[in-house]
Structure formats: C-alpha cells, structure tokens
Amino acid sequence: MDDLTKISAEVEKKTGVKTSPKAIEDIISAIKTSENFWQIVRFSQRPIPTVAETLKILKRLRYVDFKDDKIIPQEKLNQKYSNILPYSKELICPQCEGKGININSLGILEDFLEIHKYRPKPIQEYDQGNIDPASTVGRVALMKLRNDISGKKIIILGDDDLVGIALGLTMLPQDVLVLDIDKRLIDFTNKIAQEKKLPVRAEVFDLRKKLPDSLKGKFDVLVTDPPEAKKPFKIFIEKGIWSLKGPGSAGYIGMTLIDSSVSKWAELQKFVIDAGAVITDIIRDFNKYEIWEYHTKTLAWKLAPVKSQFDQPWYSSAIVRLELVKKPKVKNEILKEKDIYVDIESTTT
Amino acid sequence: MDDLTKISAEVEKKTGVKTSPKAIEDIISAIKTSENFWQIVRFSQRPIPTVAETLKILKRLRYVDFKDDKIIPQEKLNQKYSNILPYSKELICPQCEGKGININSLGILEDFLEIHKYRPKPIQEYDQGNIDPASTVGRVALMKLRNDISGKKIIILGDDDLVGIALGLTMLPQDVLVLDIDKRLIDFTNKIAQEKKLPVRAEVFDLRKKLPDSLKGKFDVLVTDPPEAKKPFKIFIEKGIWSLKGPGSAGYIGMTLIDSSVSKWAELQKFVIDAGAVITDIIRDFNKYEIWEYHTKTLAWKLAPVKSQFDQPWYSSAIVRLELVKKPKVKNEILKEKDIYVDIESTTT
C-alpha cells in the first residue's frame, strides 16, 4: 500500500467522509499552488473535512508545516511527490474562466451589474451565499444557449443569486416565478421587476413546505441550488421536478464538491436519474461565490487547521443541467426541520 | 395538446426513438439557424432519425420546404413559433469554442498538428471518425487540469483520435497503453512513440474480446469513445473500469447526442453509476469531428430527407469524465459480433 493510500484511509477513518488516494493527490497539487487554506480547498475541489484532515496528517509526517495562517510545503513533499504538479490554472480559458460561455453577448451584463450593487447581503440564517454577477449572467446565458428561456415558464426555488431578475432582463421568458424564504430578496426582486417591467414575480415561501398544488406540472424550467445533504437534496429535487411539465423540461442545479464528496455526488446523481431525468451538462467551477461575512461562524472555519485570509474568492460550484426523459412520478414532500443542512460533508452553511 | 407535443408524438411513433416537445423545439431553432441538414443536426443536438422525421412532418405541415439540398423555413414557421429563437452561437466563448480550456498553454499543439498531418485516414470498417487536433489536445489539457496525467498509468481503448500520442507528447505519464483493432493506427502510434521517445506503447487488439487478465486493476485512467448502443456501451465501460485500480481512478468518455437520445443517455448514465463511478464533468460539443469520407455510405445519409453538403464540420460529442467511488465489481466480457453497433439511434457508423 503506497503512502497516498495510507493517508487516504486514515483521512476517511478520522472524518467519516469517503475519500481516495486521488483526492489526497489533488490536495497535494493544491498545496503546491497556494499557501492559503481556502485556496487549497478551491484548487483541490475536495470536501473541507477531507482537506483539513489531510493537512493535519501531512504536517505530522513533516510534508508541510503551518506558519501563522499559512500552509508551507516542505522539501520532503516535493521530493516524494515530484510527479504531482501544481494546479494547472493556465489551462483554464482566460476569456470565459472555464465556463465556455461568452457572457458579454447576452446583452444584460451592465444592467445586471448596476442592480446587483443594491442587492440584500447574504445571511447565515438562510444558508445564503451568492455567486458573483458574472456567474449569474453566465448561468442565464447557458440557459439561453440550450433554448430554455424564450417563451418558457420558469420556477426558481431559492434565489440568492438573483437569477430571476437576470432572466427577466432578457425579456424572453413567458413567466418567471421566484420562491424564497427571505422577504428582503422577494421585495427587492418585485421592486426591480415592477420598475423595469420584467416578466417576473416573487413570493415569500418556505421551501421546506410542500409546494402549492396549483404549481404541479406547470413549468418548463427549474432553477435551484439544493441543499447537499442527501435527504434534503432528494426532497428538493423531487419537489422541483414535480413542478415541471414533463419530458423535455429542464433543470439547472448548482452542486459543489466542497460540501459534497464525489461519493455523495454519485448518490445524488442516482436520485436525479431515478426521478426520471438525464444529466446533460456538468460544467465545473462555473458558479463563483462572493466572499460572505458569516464565514468565520461556520463549521468550515472551525475545521480549518490554520485560519487563512479569505479575502479572495475560493468557493465555487458546478452548474448541472438536467432534462426530463419521463413523465415525473415524484413526491412533493415536506422537509422536516431536523433533516435540513445536517451532513458531515456540508460545512460552509 | 399543443402542436409541438403532437409532432413529438408522431416522430416518436414513426422512428421508435424517444423524443419530447423540447427536441422538436431545438430542431426548429436549428432550422432558423441553417438551411443545411447536417448543420441542423449539429445545432439541435438531437438524434438523426428524430431530426429527419421532424423535418418531413414540418414539410407536410408547410412549416418548411425542401429546395435542392436545402431546408427552407416558411413564413408560417416564424409566425407560429416566433418564441423559438435561432441557436445562440454568439453565446459560445469564441476563444475556447465552449471547451472552457486554453489548449495553447499545454505546449504540445504545434508538434501534434505536425504529426496529425500524416495520420491514417478513418475507415468505415472499424466505425472510425476522428476529432480535430484541437479537440484531442483539448481532451489532454482537461485531463491535465484534473491531475489525471502526471505519473499515471493510462489505458486507451480505441484511439482514432491519437490521444495516446498527445498524452505522450506531454512527457508526463508513467505509461500509456493504446489498444486498437486497426494495425495502421497502432503502427503509426508506435513509430511516433519511438521517434520521439514517448512513454507510449500500442498493441493491435480487438476490443470485442476480453482484456488480458494481466490488465486487471492496473490503470489510473481510462480513455475511450464507446459504441453507444446500450449493450456494447455497458460491456465497453465495464471492461474499461475493470482495468482501473479503484476509487479515484478516472475515465474520459466521448458521448454524443447525435447517435443517442437523451433517454438513452439516462440509461447509459445509470450503467456508469451502477458500475461504481460518479460523473464529474460533461462538457458538451467538446470533441469536434473532422469530415469523414464514408459519410455517404451510412444510415445517417440514407435518413437525411435532403442530401445537404457536408463540407463543414457538423458532428461533435461531449467529453464525460468519470471518477470511481467504489472498488470496481464489474465484468470483463466478450462483446458478440451481433451486438455491436446495432441500435436504431446510432446511424453515423
């Protein structure tokens, strides 16, 4: 058994989160790229408990040292793992930052940037955190590229990212319905929609509840960033799919590898397919999050073995597009208080 | 029931290929983008039988006309389906063509282009067709970005695209093994590998057979473009996974939506997850194929309701990255002659 396999086994045992030698390798690659803990998470794209535990073990084995708020790779690391290269940032397209999308040609970027300046700030109470304006506009551009906006009825379950407003600014949808628990976001969305005469309406709604029966089978497109603990994810996705019309209806889902291991992703993907959908796109690192103020109050912060600066963006998620291939046979279920956000892998909320 | 739903139902009945109103919509969008049948297939990304049958029905309903080798949208189409926009090509990043990857910074492009000039041409006997050099280099760049090359043992099952040579040119892998039935490709790969001292070896092998037992559990990374009929796909993928070491091992799979419906994709994705893997990336339209000479001898050509020029690239596939999350428990099976390439959705081979 080589060292990476041993380290991987120990990390898995200590954290309870499934991992692999490859994950340890990706973390070592990230260590060679940045001394900042959050950037190491960013580049390795592995769950925070896994990254934190790996760093502790690598320190014990004298592959790295911790100095103030930094992770310092030692000569021993470079010698032993000379095959593991730093993260190849230079391979990401500099123009689209890896999205594959030309956001400028959508024609809404300037307007959206102006509106975004005045948006309500994310708060921990609702597990909020918003992607940067370029990511919101990028998501809408991808939706347009896939013919999922023009003439469509679109439902957004939770809208920290103001996707509803961005969709509205294209003036193309038939109807956009935004549901969110946060009255500040709903009022902001409705105010902008009225001022600019956008085809968007927003309602305060606690998404743990069942959706109103009137929404069943009504929408062409779903947008949501579901919680990533297994049970809430399943209930959220099923509820979203329940509101869709049928085969050909699409879903745009944000999913992270920072709050989910690849093992958990495999289970979540199985839920999606079992619910009657196919996955047509997974573009990694598509949604780039802005820094959020409550970061030092999260489990992620507690787990961090050194308290590195977090003044640079580090958190991101993949955009995952689904398309229904069957008439949905899913439930519209209540999500119980005790089930939400509870998961050893989800630490940033 | 609206018209798209009716058309979709008729297309499904006539072709036997599952479809949806959204697919018909995507085809209408493509009709508004190009008068060329192959480009309509390209932009709609729907199976050829579906596109061909939809066009025939739209002609009967006087939404389009056929003139010589062209599809001409009629005023009635624009009036009835004014909501359906032409394909938004302008939203694809012009620098990376939607790959999200900066292929120039990999440092092998020029060498590879030079080698590519002398490659054996694709032949129908082996269902060949090769992606353009930028796509091969792009695939290798993506593999590097995901830390799947340096120090790795890589197996390539079928290598029309010369991925083996491109991987070798990075000088980073520990070992690259190329298996292909075509002696011309194997000889070409070995010749280049010797001349340039690349860490690549190639062997003539009929991939319908079982892999040699000595390859079991030996590789970190798999590259293949599997046949897309269900049974051959499953046997191919399982055989590939059988040759991988275990959790953290990766696979790069080309998958099309031109020879597969989204319904079939859903089933293929379930095979992948059931085999113990997760899907970490799906980048659509990543692999762009060069024109192949035997195109007029395929079922696709027969199905085409007008015989449009095919002098512009039109066929593409998605790159799909897998990562094993479990110790593989899959078979290394024989693929029987009668099972291969037989599928109503796969028409280009």
Side-chain angles (χ1 to χ4, degrees), chain A residues 22 25-26 46 83 90-91 93 95 100 102 105 146-148 150 152 269 279 281-282 284, chain B residues 22 25-26 46 83 90-91 93 95 100 102 105 146-148 150 152 269 279 281-282 284 323:
Chain A
K22 176 67 164 68
E25 193 181 325
D26 290 344
R46 298 291 174 174
N83 269 334
E90 73 284 358
L91 292 175
C93 175
Q95 185 164 339
N102 179 9
S105 67
R146 299 275 178 261
N147 293 326
D148 286 326
S150 181
K152 301 294 184 184
Q269 289 180 349
I279 304 169
D281 299 81
I282 303 179
R284 293 266 291 275
Chain B
K22 176 66 163 67
E25 194 182 324
D26 290 345
R46 298 291 173 174
N83 268 335
E90 74 284 359
L91 292 176
C93 176
Q95 185 164 340
N102 180 9
S105 68
R146 298 277 178 261
N147 293 325
D148 286 326
S150 181
K152 300 294 183 183
Q269 289 179 351
I279 304 168
D281 300 81
I282 303 178
R284 293 266 289 276
E323 191 170 314

Side-chain angles (χ1 to χ4, degrees), chain A residues 22-195:
Chain A
K22 176 67 164 68
I24 311 305
E25 193 181 325
D26 290 344
I27 294 164
I28 292 173
S29 168
I31 293 168
K32 291 185 175 189
T33 315
S34 174
E35 298 181 331
N36 179 295
F37 177 74
W38 306 107
Q39 296 297 318
I40 291 172
V41 171
R42 171 187 174 191
F43 292 127
S44 66
Q45 290 284 312
R46 298 291 174 174
I48 286 173
T50 305
V51 179
E53 194 59 43
T54 301
L55 286 169
K56 281 188 216 162
I57 295 170
L58 290 175
K59 180 167 188 287
R60 193 188 70 214
L61 299 172
R62 297 180 192 278
Y63 286 115
V64 301
D65 201 5
F66 298 166
K67 199 175 164 200
D68 304 325
D69 60 353
K70 294 191 174 57
I71 316 281
I72 316 288
Q74 303 295 294
E75 191 47 36
K76 187 183 167 191
L77 184 90
N78 293 322
Q79 277 166 6
K80 170 88 179 176
Y81 298 113
S82 58
N83 269 334
I84 303 178
L85 307 179
Y87 184 74
S88 311
K89 277 179 286 193
E90 73 284 358
L91 292 175
I92 297 172
C93 175
Q95 185 164 339
C96 64
E97 294 190 317
K99 290 182 170 71
I101 292 286
N102 179 9
I103 60 170
N104 292 304
S105 67
L106 189 64
I108 66 162
L109 185 59
E110 268 185 46
D111 271 4
F112 187 74
L113 283 171
E114 188 55 32
I115 292 165
H116 197 269
K117 283 183 195 164
Y118 305 102
R119 59 157 294 151
K121 291 273 166 290
I123 50 179
Q124 186 170 22
E125 184 185 354
Y126 302 131
D127 174 33
Q128 287 172 331
N130 67 273
I131 61 180
D132 64 20
S135 300
T136 297
V137 175
R139 191 183 284 205
V140 171
L142 176 65
M143 292 173 70
K144 187 173 178 213
L145 186 62
R146 299 275 178 261
N147 293 326
D148 286 326
I149 299 182
S150 181
K152 301 294 184 184
K153 297 181 75 167
I154 304 172
I155 187 167
I156 304 180
L157 303 181
D159 195 16
D160 302 356
D161 303 325
L162 307 184
V163 177
I165 290 172
L167 281 167
L169 287 172
T170 68
M171 292 297 183
L172 294 171
Q174 185 187 331
D175 181 33
V176 178
L177 174 62
V178 174
L179 300 180
D180 200 290
I181 197 168
D182 185 354
K183 191 170 184 303
R184 301 173 313 146
L185 277 174
I186 295 304
D187 289 346
F188 184 76
T189 299
N190 281 327
K191 181 170 152 283
I192 302 287
Q194 274 175 353
E195 276 173 22

Side-chain angles (χ1 to χ4, degrees), chain B residues 98-223:
Chain B
K99 291 183 170 71
I101 292 288
N102 180 9
I103 60 170
N104 293 305
S105 68
L106 189 62
I108 66 162
L109 185 58
E110 269 185 46
D111 272 4
F112 187 74
L113 283 171
E114 189 54 32
I115 292 165
H116 197 269
K117 283 184 196 163
Y118 306 102
R119 57 156 295 153
K121 291 276 166 290
I123 50 179
Q124 188 171 21
E125 184 186 352
Y126 301 132
D127 174 31
Q128 288 173 332
N130 68 270
I131 60 179
D132 65 19
S135 300
T136 297
V137 175
R139 193 184 283 205
V140 171
L142 177 64
M143 292 173 70
K144 187 172 178 213
L145 185 63
R146 298 277 178 261
N147 293 325
D148 286 326
I149 300 181
S150 181
K152 300 294 183 183
K153 298 182 75 168
I154 304 173
I155 187 167
I156 305 181
L157 302 182
D159 195 16
D160 302 354
D161 303 325
L162 306 185
V163 177
I165 291 174
L167 282 168
L169 287 173
T170 69
M171 293 297 185
L172 294 171
Q174 185 187 333
D175 181 31
V176 178
L177 173 62
V178 175
L179 300 181
D180 199 291
I181 197 168
D182 185 353
K183 191 170 183 305
R184 302 173 312 146
L185 277 173
I186 295 304
D187 289 346
F188 184 76
T189 299
N190 281 327
K191 182 172 152 280
I192 302 287
Q194 273 173 355
E195 277 173 22
K196 306 238 173 201
K197 303 193 194 314
L198 310 181
V200 176
R201 57 207 171 96
E203 292 172 21
V204 174
F205 189 83
D206 181 345
L207 289 164
R208 289 169 295 192
K209 291 191 204 165
K210 290 184 182 193
L211 292 177
D213 276 341
S214 60
L215 301 184
K216 183 178 180 182
K218 284 289 187 301
F219 295 89
D220 300 293
V221 179
L222 158 73
V223 181

Side-chain angles (χ1 to χ4, degrees), chain B residues 27-40:
Chain B
I27 294 164
I28 292 174
S29 167
I31 293 168
K32 292 186 175 188
T33 315
S34 175
E35 297 180 334
N36 180 295
F37 178 74
W38 307 107
Q39 296 298 318
I40 290 172

